[in-house]
Amino acid sequence: MASPEVQLNRIERTRLLGLAVLIFLILASYAVARPATESLFLSHYTADHLPWLWILVGAGSLAVVTLYNRFSATTDLVRIFGAVSGISAGILVLLLLGLSTDLPWLTWVLYLWKDLYIVVLIEIFWSFANSTVPEHRAKWWYGLFCVVGSLGGMAGNLGVGWLAQASSTLNSLWTVVALLAVSGVGAWALARWTGISGSTDKPKRSLMDGFHVLKSSRFLWLLMALIGTSQVVITLIDYQFTTAVAANFPDEAERTAVFGQVYAAIDLMAITLQLATGPTIRLLGVAGVLLMIPGLLGLSVMGFALIPRFGAIAVGKVASKAFDYSLFRAAKEILYIPLSHPERTQGKAFVDMMAYRMAKAGTSALLLALLALGQPQLALAVTIACLLLWIWLTVQLNRRHSART
């Protein structure tokens, strides 16, 4: 007979299964929204406009996360989730009505909306889970949540192509409105049925607290440089992939389907790697995994440089995102374990917050400079150079990690 710690009572089972359904719906909505909005954007503008958008997304993400952090300290997370779901759905309805009257500039707002709403909903989901799921359950269920979320992403990514070709890319986004509505109502029902509110009492921390920790830790500086460099590579590959999609698939519905298929491939590869993360790290070690990732990405990028075909850059896109969502994330987190408590908390928060946003903004500025010089093709050479830097930083970090363990 299973021990009481392993057994699930009815309320716990409902809560955990409900959270799994919730993450499925959230990522399914994003999987429909992302290919559709990217395809609609390319119907009116070129990939050369993307760096400007990415700068706006970075600034917008920082603003909405700051606003969320202010409210989350004093407000019930369920109420926040319902409010964000409702507001996101309402904004999308207004954008769809505006786009149906042929206002192409709204595709900029739509793209920005797509990247902002998912940041907040995912943050609320994990805060909600962290405040309601015991640690001994989380060790097993959090991995399952990631897999179920990836399955939701696959369902949305494969479904959006069918929806776009059956109706239109614009009309496919009405599915997102429905998914957001169901998610908001589902979160409220889950809290009511299981008797929890998902309130949080985590202390407020200033961003400067993390910076003070970072100043005295060379290891954190190297780790932030590694994360930033990896995101520069991923963003550059993303730009080259989007440019290739625009050149090879001028039809909007077909382009939406291609985006969906590639993102579904990312989800499938990510699930496979997530399930294999433990054995892979045990076999290769953290150092081996961290070196393998830029090495394999380098091969795919060199393949595209030698044979500039769509399939080659699509492989690079799938590999870069799938590794980022699985092996790289897990190995990166292990690097924090031997650090001091301040480094693992305030320092980590600063690194994670700043590295991703600074990398996206810096890459966008770099791409804008290349476009201004009329040399966008140099993005490929910059990608290769950043991959070499990624490998060098990994070697340095592995040495310091070995010295600490």
Side-chain angles (χ1 to χ4, degrees):
M1 184 174 178
S3 67
E5 182 176 276
V6 175
Q7 288 179 327
L8 292 171
N9 60 41
R10 183 184 61 81
I11 290 179
E12 282 184 311
R13 187 183 303 111
T14 301
R15 182 184 303 159
L16 292 169
L17 292 176
L19 286 169
V21 172
L22 202 59
I23 192 65
F24 181 94
L25 292 172
I26 294 170
L27 291 181
S29 76
Y30 184 61
V32 174
R34 179 171 52 181
T37 55
E38 291 178 357
S39 183
L40 284 169
F41 183 82
L42 291 176
S43 294
H44 301 285
Y45 302 96
T46 68
D48 293 347
H49 291 85
L50 285 176
W52 291 108
L53 259 177
W54 291 336
I55 290 174
L56 290 175
V57 167
S61 297
L62 188 60
V64 298
V65 169
T66 301
L67 187 64
Y68 163 73
N69 286 337
R70 175 175 297 180
F71 282 101
S72 66
T74 57
T75 308
D76 187 307
L77 288 173
V78 176
R79 291 175 60 189
I80 298 178
F81 189 96
V84 171
S85 297
I87 292 170
S88 299
I91 292 174
L92 179 56
V93 168
L94 293 176
L95 289 172
L96 293 177
L97 293 175
L99 285 166
S100 66
T101 60
D102 198 22
L103 296 173
W105 60 270
L106 284 178
T107 56
W108 282 72
V109 184
L110 183 65
Y111 196 109
L112 185 62
W113 166 88
K114 174 260 296 181
D115 275 356
L116 296 185
Y117 95 88
I118 192 63
V119 167
V120 182
L121 286 187
I122 288 295
E123 178 68 22
I124 298 172
F125 171 83
W126 285 112
S127 296
F128 186 69
N130 290 340
S131 62
T132 58
V133 180
E135 184 177 349
H136 67 279
R137 303 290 190 209
K139 291 177 181 178
W140 295 96
W141 280 83
Y142 277 19
L144 179 62
F145 290 160
C146 291
V147 173
V148 171
S150 294
L151 290 173
M154 284 186 64
N157 283 318
L158 293 175
V160 69
W162 176 82
L163 289 169
Q165 292 174 332
S167 177
S168 70
T169 295
L170 185 64
N171 286 336
S172 70
L173 286 168
W174 287 102
T175 307
V176 180
V177 176
L179 289 170
L180 287 173
V182 173
S183 297
V185 173
W188 175 83
L190 180 62
R192 184 178 180 85
W193 292 340
T194 59
I196 45 91
S197 62
S199 60
T200 178
D201 57 356
K202 61 184 179 182
K204 293 183 179 179
R205 287 194 175 96
S206 167
L207 192 63
M208 291 307 297
D209 292 338
F211 179 70
H212 291 317
V213 174
L214 179 69
K215 285 195 302 183
S216 59
S217 175
R218 180 170 173 79
F219 189 89
L220 284 180
W221 279 111
L222 282 170
L223 188 52
M224 186 163 74
L226 176 70
I227 296 170
T229 303
S230 71
Q231 296 308 304
V232 169
V233 170
I234 291 170
T235 304
L236 288 170
I237 291 174
D238 193 19
Y239 170 77
Q240 292 163 88
F241 168 76
T242 304
T243 301
V245 170
N248 286 275
F249 302 97
D251 179 72
E252 182 179 275
E254 184 183 10
R255 185 169 60 241
T256 302
V258 169
F259 272 125
Q261 290 163 6
V262 170
Y263 285 123
I266 291 171
D267 290 328
L268 179 60
M269 185 174 175
I271 291 174
T272 304
L273 291 173
Q274 285 162 2
L275 293 173
T277 293
T280 302
I281 291 178
R282 182 179 294 272
L283 177 66
L284 301 178
V286 173
V289 168
L290 288 173
L291 278 173
M292 176 191 71
I293 293 170
L296 292 177
L297 286 180
L299 291 176
S300 67
V301 171
M302 288 300 296
F304 179 64
L306 297 173
I307 308 173
R309 301 286 180 87
F310 174 75
I313 195 61
V315 168
K317 166 81 170 180
V318 171
S320 66
K321 290 290 188 180
F323 281 134
D324 188 38
Y325 296 158
S326 55
L327 288 173
F328 182 74
R329 180 167 298 179
K332 177 200 73 174
E333 294 299 327
I334 292 174
L335 293 177
Y336 286 106
I337 293 176
L339 304 185
S340 66
H341 180 72
E343 287 175 313
R344 292 197 309 266
T345 53
Q346 294 104 312
K348 181 180 185 301
F350 185 90
V351 167
D352 287 350
M353 179 176 291
M354 298 304 295
Y356 288 94
R357 288 168 177 79
M358 289 172 61
K360 194 86 169 183
T363 309
S364 298
L366 172 64
L367 287 170
L368 288 173
L370 292 178
L371 291 168
L373 294 171
Q375 301 291 330
Q377 71 278 3
L378 290 180
L380 183 58
V382 175
T383 305
I384 295 172
C386 287
L387 280 164
L388 294 174
L389 176 60
W390 184 348
I391 292 171
W392 181 83
L393 288 169
T394 301
V395 171
Q396 300 305 309
L397 267 171
N398 283 337
R399 287 175 178 171
R400 291 184 173 272
H401 180 257
S402 298
R404 286 178 176 246
T405 54

